[in-house]
Amino acid sequence: MSALVSIRDLRVHFPVKGGRVRAVDGVSLDIAPGETVGLVGESGCGKSTTGRALLQLYTPKIAEITGEIRYQGNDLVALGKARGATVKLRPFRKDLQIIFQDPYASLDPRMTIGAQIAEPLRYHALVPKKDMAAKVAELLETVGLSPAMAARYPHEFSGGQRQRVGIARALAVSPRFIVCDEPISALDVSIQAQVMNLMVELQDKFHLTYLFIAHDLAAVKHISDRIAVMYLGQIVELAAADAVYDTPLHPYTQALISAVPIPDPSQRTRSRIRLEGEIPSPLNPPSGCRFHPRCTYAETACKTTEPPLTEVSPGRFVACHPVARGVRFPIREAPASTA
Amino acid sequence: MSAPILEVSDLVVEFRHDHGYFAAVNGLSFTLAKGQTLGIVGESGSGKSVTNLAVMGLLPRPPARIPRGQIRFHGEDLVNAPEKRLREIRGNRIAMIFQDPMTSLNPYLRIGRQLTESLEIHQNLKRQAAKDLAVHMLGRVGIPAPERRFDQYPHELSGGMRQRVMIAMMLLNRPEVLIADEPTTALDVTIQAQILDLLRDLQAELGMAVTLITHDLGVVAGMADHVIVMYAGRVMEEGRAIDLFRNPSHPYTLGLLQSIPRPDQRVDRLYSIPGRPPDAGSITQGCPFAARCRFAKPACTTAAPPLVSVSATQRSACIAIDEVLADPARRELVQRAQAHAGPAPTAGGGA
Ligand SMILES: Nc1ncnc2c1ncn2[C@@H]1O[C@H](COP(=O)(O)OP(=O)(O)OP(=O)(O)O)[C@@H](O)[C@H]1O
Ligand SMILES: Nc1ncnc2c1ncn2[C@@H]1O[C@H](COP(=O)(O)OP(=O)(O)OP(=O)(O)O)[C@@H](O)[C@H]1O
Ligand code: SF4
Ligand SMILES: [Mg+2]
Ligand SMILES: [Mg+2]
C-alpha cells in the first residue's frame, strides 16, 4: 500500500548561539493511510519537532529543514521554502492537524472556548454561520465536555479540560492526518481511555491516520499499529507495537521499557535498566552510534560508525551494530499486568 | 506518626460563576507529615490543582473564595495569613512544581538567571556560587550540557526540559514541603524514574514532605505512602497505596483501575467509566459520582455519603461498600494483581 505521508531523511536544525541544535537528524518513515504510528523516546529527542515539521509549522527563519515530506504527491518541505509558502501550503492545512502538547500555550486566553473551536471552521469555511453553535456543541460533546462550556474562557478550565478543547479543535475540520503530541497525558485514566476509544472510533469512521506521541508506553502500545523509538534526533527502532513492547531489541528501547512504572505498590523494587553516563546534547551529538556513551553493549565500531536502520526481520527495523549482525540481548520481563 | 507539617481540614474553595458560586473543592481534609509522600489522584477537574494553589496562597481571590476550612502549616493558619507572610513561606518552605511549566518560567529571562535569582534572594549566595549550585542541580535532573542550557530561553527547550528546569528551581530551595503537580507527565519514563529517585533521595536527605498529584497510577504506586482519590471536589476514597490497589472500595477507584490499559492484552476498546464528569457546580447534594455509578441507590442522591472506615488504614465515601467488595469485576481485578505480584506485603507504604 502506498503511504499517506512519506518522510525521507528529514533534518530539522535550529541555529542557536554557538552552534546548531540537530533536533531531528535523518528521520525516514512511511505512514500508511488509516495507520497509527506511536512515536516515543527520551524527552528532548525531537518528537515534537518531527511532528511540527510534518505540518510545516516552522518558518525558515527558525529552523533549517532538509529532506522530504511527501503528501499527495507534493513535497511539503519544498513548498514550505517556496515563495508564497503560506498560500501553497494552505490546501494541506485542513488535512493535516495537530493536537499540541501544551494545552495552555495553544489556547488564546482572551477568546471563549467556543470561539476558538469555531475559528478553524470559519477559516476553512466549513460550516454555515447559522449552524456554527450546534457544530461547536457537538464537538464539545464528542470530547466529553458540556456544550455549556463554550461560553467560558481557558483559565476557567482544568488542565485535562483544556486538553480536550485542543482535541475538539483539531477534529473540527475533519482532517485526514493528525499529529497527536501527548494528547492524553494531562487526563485522568478514565478520560484517557475515553479519548483513546474516541480516537479509534473516529479513525474507523473517517479513515484517519495518526502520529501519536506519548510517554505512556502502555497507552502507546494500545493505540498504535507500529511504534517508532527515537533517540537524539534519529529513529533507533521501528516495528509492530507488540514487538517493540514485548521484545525490544535496541538497548535504548530495552532501557525505556524496563522503566515503565507499574501500577502496583508491591513491585516498587523491580529492577530497571539504569542509563549511566551523561545525557548527550543535540548541540553536539556523539560520533558513531549516538547511544554509545551510555550503552552497556557498545563495541569499538559503535564509537566511529553510525549504525543504519536495518531490517532485522520482516517489518522490524533496528539501528544497532550487534543487533544487525544477529546478536540478541537478554530482555527483562516487560511489565505485563497492571492493577 | 510525627506531628503533621501541613494540615488541611474541611477545606472549601469556591469560584464565582454566572450567578453565584460553585465549589471546586468541597470539604477536603488531609495531613502531611515530615518525610511523607501523599499521592493525590482523581478525575480531571476534581480540584487537585486548586487545593494546592490554596495551600500556596496563590488562588486568585476573587473569583475564588475560601468560605470554610483551614490550612495549617506547623499549626499556623495560612487561609487568612497576610500576603507578606505567605511570600516568606512560598518557594522557600513550601514549593510547588506547577502542572504547566510556562506559568512559572519567565519567557524573557535566560533559565540560568531564573535559577540563580531565588538562590541569591533566599539563600544569600554569591553569583558564582549560585551558578555552580544551579548547574549541578540541572545535571541532577538530567539536563544534558547544563552549562550551555544555562544561557538559553525557555522556548528553546523541549517540553520535558522546561519541566526539569522548574523541578531544579524548586529543589534548589530545599523546601520542607514540595507540592508536585504532575511533575513527570511531560517526561519519558527513564528520566521520570531518575527524577523520582532524586525526589526520594532529597526526601531522605531533608525529610521533605511531598504532595504528588498525578494521573499516572504507576507513579503513585511507586512513590506514595498514602493516597487520596478525588472526584468533583471531594475525597471518594483514601488509604495506604497498597490498600487502594489491592482493595479498592469505592466505585470510582474501581473504575479508574479498570481503565488502565493492560499491555498483556489486545483489546479494541478500553474500559472507561460511563457518562461524563459533572459540570462544575451542578451537584449540590448527594454523592457526586451517583449519576455514573453502577451501584447507585436512591439514597445516594439525597446526601453525600461520609468517609467510613473499610479497615484501620482505609476509608471510602460510599454507602454500598459491601456490594462494591462483592463485585465480580472487582474480584477479577484484585485476583489478577495478586496472581501477578504475589501476596500483598503486610508493611505497606514506604519504599
Ligand atoms: N525553537 C527552538 N530553538 C532551539 N532549540 C529548539 C527549539 N525547539 C526545540 N529545540 C530543541 O530541539 C530538541 C528537540 O526538542 P523537541 O521539543 O522536539 O523534543 P521532544 O522529543 O518533543 O521532547 P519532550 O518529550 O520533552 O516534549 C531539544 O533539544 C530542544 O531543546
Ligand atoms: N480561575 C478559575 N476560575 C473558574 N473556575 C476555575 C478556575 N480554576 C479552576 N477552576 C475550576 O475548578 C475546578 C477544579 O480545577 P482544578 O484545576 O483544580 O482541577 P484538577 O483536579 O487539577 O484537574 P486536572 O487533572 O485536569 O489538572 C474545575 O472545574 C475548573 O474548571
Ligand atoms: S455512594 Fe452510592 S452513588 Fe456514590 S459512589 Fe457509592 S454507591 Fe455510587
Ligand atoms: Mg515534545
Ligand atoms: Mg490540575
Side-chain angles (χ1 to χ4, degrees), chain A residues 14 23 43-49 101 215 282, chain B residues 149 156 158 160-161:
Chain A
F14 299 104
S43 165
C45 70
K47 303 179 297 294
S48 297
T49 306
Q101 177 168 9
H215 289 303
Chain B
R149 295 292 180 183
E156 296 178 298
S158 79
M161 282 185 213

Side-chain angles (χ1 to χ4, degrees), chain A residues 16-18 41-44 101-102 104 141 144-147 152 158-161 164 182 185-191 193-194 196-197 201 215 217-219 221-222 224 241-242 245 252 255-256 259 261-268 272 274-275 279-283 333 335-339, chain B residues 17 42-45 99-100 142 144-145 148-149 156 158-161 164 185-194 197 215-219 221-224 241-242 245-246 256-257 259-264 266-273 276-277 279 333 336-337 340-341 345 349-351:
Chain A
V16 294
K17 205 181 84 185
E42 193 158 59
S43 165
Q101 177 168 9
D102 186 346
Y104 297 81
E141 287 268 358
L145 292 173
S146 147
R152 298 202 200 140
S158 79
Q161 290 165 337
R164 277 178 279 167
E182 303 199 33
S185 56
L187 308 173
D188 66 68
V189 282
S190 175
I191 298 175
Q194 204 178 308
M196 283 192 281
N197 287 343
E201 259 166 49
H215 289 303
L217 292 157
K221 182 189 181 200
H222 166 75
S224 306
D242 295 352
Y245 195 92
Y252 173 68
L256 193 68
I262 305 178
D264 183 342
S266 68
Q267 294 197 44
R268 283 184 186 184
R272 71 166 205 271
R274 267 163 230 267
L275 289 176
I279 298 179
S281 158
L283 277 158
E333 195 196 343
S337 174
T338 60
Chain B
H17 188 5
E43 182 225 351
S44 164
Q99 193 167 4
D100 165 28
R148 298 190 75 161
R149 295 292 180 183
E156 296 178 298
S158 79
M161 282 185 213
R164 279 175 281 164
T185 19
L187 306 176
D188 69 87
V189 289
T190 59
I191 291 176
Q192 167 169 283
Q194 185 186 337
D197 284 347
H215 290 306
D216 189 327
L217 295 169
V219 170
M223 291 290 288
I242 194 81
F245 286 93
R246 289 302 174 78
L256 280 183
L257 293 176
S259 304
I260 303 174
R262 295 184 48 200
D264 57 341
R266 259 243 174 244
V267 291
D268 290 336
R269 283 184 72 79
L270 295 167
Y271 176 86
S272 79
I273 301 169
R276 192 174 69 206
D279 291 350
L333 192 87
R336 193 169 66 219
H340 190 259

Side-chain angles (χ1 to χ4, degrees), chain A residues 104 149 152 155-161 186, chain B residues 15-16 22 24 42-51 60 63 99 181-182 213 215 280:
Chain A
Y104 297 81
M149 288 178 138
R152 298 202 200 140
H155 74 268
E156 298 177 64
F157 285 66
S158 79
Q161 290 165 337
Chain B
F15 284 99
R16 193 161 57 214
F22 81 92
E43 182 225 351
S44 164
S46 61
K48 303 182 296 295
S49 298
V50 165
T51 300
Q99 193 167 4
D181 195 349
E182 301 281 356
I213 306 170
H215 290 306

Side-chain angles (χ1 to χ4, degrees), chain B residues 56-116:
Chain B
M56 292 292 286
L58 287 176
L59 280 177
R61 293 203 258 172
R65 67 174 189 190
I66 300 181
R68 206 173 81 211
Q70 289 171 338
I71 300 169
R72 294 187 178 280
F73 178 59
H74 291 294
E76 178 184 351
D77 173 43
L78 296 185
V79 172
N80 298 305
E83 179 57 27
K84 181 169 166 294
R85 177 72 186 132
L86 289 173
R87 261 203 302 270
E88 287 165 10
I89 295 173
R90 192 161 58 216
N92 198 17
R93 301 183 64 194
I94 308 180
M96 179 156 173
I97 298 169
F98 290 91
Q99 193 167 4
D100 165 28
M102 284 317 266
T103 53
S104 37
L105 292 178
N106 181 337
Y108 304 107
L109 272 187
R110 295 180 199 279
I111 62 163
R113 193 69 210 116
Q114 308 196 39
L115 286 164
T116 51

Side-chain angles (χ1 to χ4, degrees), chain A residues 110-125:
Chain A
R110 289 152 310 183
M111 267 169 85
T112 64
I113 290 304
Q116 300 196 53
I117 294 173
E119 191 182 59
L121 291 167
R122 226 185 335 255
Y123 178 82
H124 295 288

Side-chain angles (χ1 to χ4, degrees), chain A residues 83-287:
Chain A
R83 284 182 59 174
T86 316
V87 176
K88 288 194 170 123
L89 286 169
R90 194 166 175 165
F92 306 104
R93 291 257 181 249
K94 186 184 93 57
D95 280 12
L96 311 174
Q97 289 289 315
I98 185 164
I99 300 166
F100 285 104
Q101 177 168 9
D102 186 346
Y104 297 81
S106 55
L107 294 175
D108 182 340
R110 289 152 310 183
M111 267 169 85
T112 64
I113 290 304
Q116 300 196 53
I117 294 173
E119 191 182 59
L121 291 167
R122 226 185 335 255
Y123 178 82
H124 295 288
L126 293 174
V127 176
K129 201 165 173 194
K130 63 173 177 38
D131 300 336
M132 193 61 89
K135 178 73 186 174
V136 168
E138 180 197 315
L139 284 161
L140 284 170
E141 287 268 358
T142 308
V143 296
L145 292 173
S146 147
M149 288 178 138
R152 298 202 200 140
Y153 291 88
H155 74 268
E156 298 177 64
F157 285 66
S158 79
Q161 290 165 337
R162 283 185 231 207
Q163 190 59 281
R164 277 178 279 167
V165 172
I167 296 171
R169 204 159 58 155
L171 290 176
V173 297
S174 320
R176 298 189 58 192
F177 176 75
I178 307 182
V179 172
C180 313
D181 195 351
E182 303 199 33
I184 54 165
S185 56
L187 308 173
D188 66 68
V189 282
S190 175
I191 298 175
Q192 283 187 5
Q194 204 178 308
V195 168
M196 283 192 281
N197 287 343
L198 170 72
M199 289 179 60
V200 171
E201 259 166 49
L202 295 167
Q203 180 164 45
D204 292 346
K205 203 157 143 198
F206 303 114
H207 205 57
L208 289 173
T209 305
Y210 297 128
L211 182 68
F212 191 90
I213 302 171
H215 289 303
D216 180 339
L217 292 157
V220 172
K221 182 189 181 200
H222 166 75
I223 203 160
S224 306
D225 300 301
R226 289 186 299 155
I227 296 177
V229 183
M230 268 183 95
Y231 186 80
L232 214 61
Q234 300 178 334
I235 292 179
V236 295
E237 183 154 2
L238 171 68
D242 295 352
V244 171
Y245 195 92
D246 298 332
T247 54
L249 295 182
H250 193 283
Y252 173 68
T253 316
Q254 295 190 338
L256 193 68
I257 302 288
S258 82
V260 172
I262 305 178
D264 183 342
S266 68
Q267 294 197 44
R268 283 184 186 184
T269 49
R270 180 178 66 112
S271 67
R272 71 166 205 271
I273 303 170
R274 267 163 230 267
L275 289 176
E276 305 293 342
E278 276 283 287
I279 298 179
S281 158
L283 277 158
N284 185 18
S287 61

